[in-house]
Amino acid sequence: MTAAFTGPAESGLTVVIPCFNEVENIEPSYREITNELGHYPLELLYVDDGSTDGTLAEIRALAAADPRVRYLSFTRNFGFEAAFSAGYRYASKPWILHVDADQQFPAAEAEKLIEAAGRGNDAVFGVRTNRQDPLLRRWGTAAFHFLGRRVLRIEIPPGATAFRLVRAELARKIVDLRLGTPYFLATVPRLTSRYTCVQVAHRARERGESKVGFGFLASHAIELFVGFTRRLTTAASATALFAGGLGVLATGAAALGVLGAGATAALLFALLSVLLVVLSLTVRYLVVVGAGQARPRQFYVREANFAVDADDRLFTTADPAGPRLIDVQLGKGVSA
C-alpha cells in the first residue's frame, strides 16, 4: 500500500547547502535560512566540496552551536553534482530543499516551492524572474535550454534552476542510479511526471566569487546533449555518411576531369572539416559510454558529524589532519 502524501510543511525538510570556498557566506546563509524557514521541522546539511579556505571551520562552529546543522566534508573537490548528490543521499527529512551557499536565491522564496509541493508535486523547480548574473551567463543559459528542449527534444523543466524542492525518496533514487552522465534536471522527468516550476526572485552575489565558469557550463551542456538523447549522435552519423558519399563522388569527378583540381581540393577540405566535427562528437559519446563503466564513487567523505556509509569513506581510520572522523560501526566521532 502506498503511503499517504505529506507535504514539506507538515513533514519537514532538509536544506542541502553545497559549498566550495564560501567562507564569507556560511554564517549569513545559516542565519537567513533559519530566520525564514525555522518554523518548519528543519535540518541544515552543509556539504563542503573540498574547500581550501575556512569554510569547514565555519560549518563546524555552526554544528557545535545548533543540533539542526549536519555536515559532510569531502577528501577533495569533486564538483557541484557530487556535492549536492551527497547531500541528497544523507538528508534525513522527507523533503529536500537545495539552496546554494551564495544566497542568490532568497530563502524566503522557498515558501513558493513548499506551497507548490503541497499540491501533490514530487519536485518543484525555481525559475528566475529577474536574473542577476552577467549577460554572457544569461545568454548561455538561454541557448542551453533552447538547444536542449527545442532542438534535441530533451525533457527538461523549462527554466529550472538548482533552487529546488524534491521528495527525498525521489532524489535518492536518482543519486543511486550512478549515471555515467548525471544530470538531475533531465533525470527527474524520466522518473515522474509530477513536477512543476514556479517563478522566484533572484539577486546578485554579495560576497565571494562564483565558482561556475564558462568551461564548466559548456562541459555540463555537452554531457546533457550527448547523454540524454540520441538525436545528436544520429545526426552526426547521417552527416558522416552523407559527407563520405560526397567525397567518393568528388574523387570520381576529379578522376574523370569533371571537377578541376582547385574545386576538388576545396570540396574535400570542406568534407574533411565536417567529418572532424562528427569525429569529435563520436569521441565525446565514447567518453559518455566509458563513464558508465566501473569507476570510483562520485565522492569520498573525509569528515562528518554523523555516521556515513563505509563505501562513501576513503579511509576507515582516524585522519590525523582533521579534528574528527565518523566511526561507521559505532556511529561515534573518533578523535584525531
Side-chain angles (χ1 to χ4, degrees):
M1 180 180 295
T2 303
F5 177 89
T6 306
E10 299 79 26
S11 60
L13 63 156
T14 295
V15 184
V16 172
I17 310 112
C19 41
F20 174 62
N21 290 346
E22 293 284 1
V23 61
E24 298 172 301
N25 287 313
I26 299 303
E27 196 278 334
S29 69
Y30 164 81
R31 187 171 59 248
E32 181 181 32
I33 291 167
T34 53
N35 286 344
E36 297 293 345
L37 304 174
H39 55 288
Y40 293 111
L42 193 67
E43 170 189 64
L44 287 81
L45 179 49
Y46 284 89
V47 183
D48 170 36
D49 188 17
S51 297
T52 56
D53 61 359
T55 294
L56 181 56
E58 288 289 318
I59 297 171
R60 287 188 191 125
L62 291 178
D66 188 343
R68 295 175 297 179
V69 176
R70 303 165 79 220
Y71 71 88
L72 295 164
S73 181
F74 289 169
T75 57
R76 55 174 286 267
N77 177 241
F78 284 97
F80 176 69
E81 199 88 28
F84 74 69
S85 294
Y88 293 2
R89 173 171 291 171
Y90 287 104
S92 66
K93 299 293 186 181
W95 288 85
I96 294 170
L97 174 66
H98 181 134
V99 179
D100 290 335
D102 58 20
Q103 293 185 275
Q104 289 196 255
F105 289 100
E109 294 295 280
E111 296 287 359
K112 298 176 182 177
L113 278 62
I114 292 170
E115 192 274 333
R119 296 197 296 267
N121 289 295
D122 298 321
V124 183
F125 298 92
V127 178
R128 307 174 186 91
T129 55
N130 184 25
R131 185 174 182 180
Q132 300 299 306
D133 278 328
L135 185 62
L136 183 60
R137 284 193 61 180
R138 298 203 300 271
W139 284 354
T141 300
F144 161 78
H145 279 279
F146 175 78
L147 289 173
R149 298 184 69 247
R150 304 285 184 174
V151 178
L152 299 177
R153 305 294 177 86
I154 303 172
E155 187 175 358
I156 311 171
T161 65
F163 184 56
R164 54 204 180 210
L165 180 65
V166 188
R167 292 181 69 167
E169 288 181 284
L170 171 62
R172 279 191 283 271
K173 282 284 194 307
I174 293 174
V175 171
D176 290 342
L177 289 174
R178 295 198 69 198
L179 298 174
T181 52
Y183 207 102
F184 194 85
L185 293 180
T187 309
V188 168
R190 291 188 168 190
L191 273 63
T192 179
S193 60
R194 293 184 178 179
Y195 66 87
T196 190
C197 298
V198 297
Q199 294 188 337
V200 295
H202 190 251
R203 59 193 177 194
R205 173 187 273 266
E206 296 180 1
R207 296 169 295 276
E209 297 181 356
S210 174
K211 314 305 184 299
V212 179
F214 179 77
F216 168 82
L217 295 174
S219 175
H220 214 42
I222 291 172
E223 287 186 353
L224 172 70
F225 297 160
V226 174
F228 282 81
T229 180
R230 295 183 180 179
R231 289 176 178 268
L232 197 60
T233 51
T234 299
S237 300
T239 301
L241 185 62
F242 179 72
L246 282 181
V248 171
L249 292 175
T251 302
L256 295 173
V258 177
L259 285 179
T264 302
L267 179 58
L268 291 177
F269 181 77
L271 293 175
L272 178 62
S273 300
V274 171
L275 291 175
L276 287 175
V277 173
V278 172
L279 178 62
S280 69
L281 288 174
T282 303
V283 170
R284 186 63 191 178
Y285 181 73
L286 292 175
V287 170
V288 170
V289 173
Q293 308 306 307
R295 62 193 188 280
R297 296 183 71 81
Q298 194 177 16
F299 57 85
Y300 288 98
V301 176
R302 184 184 300 279
E303 181 184 336
N305 65 342
F306 57 91
V308 299
D309 294 340
D311 289 343
D312 287 337
R313 297 174 59 198
L314 188 61
F315 305 108
T316 58
T317 56
D319 179 12
R324 189 165 73 162
L325 191 70
I326 293 304
D327 186 305
V328 176
Q329 286 75 30
L330 300 178
K332 299 177 180 178
V334 178
S335 298

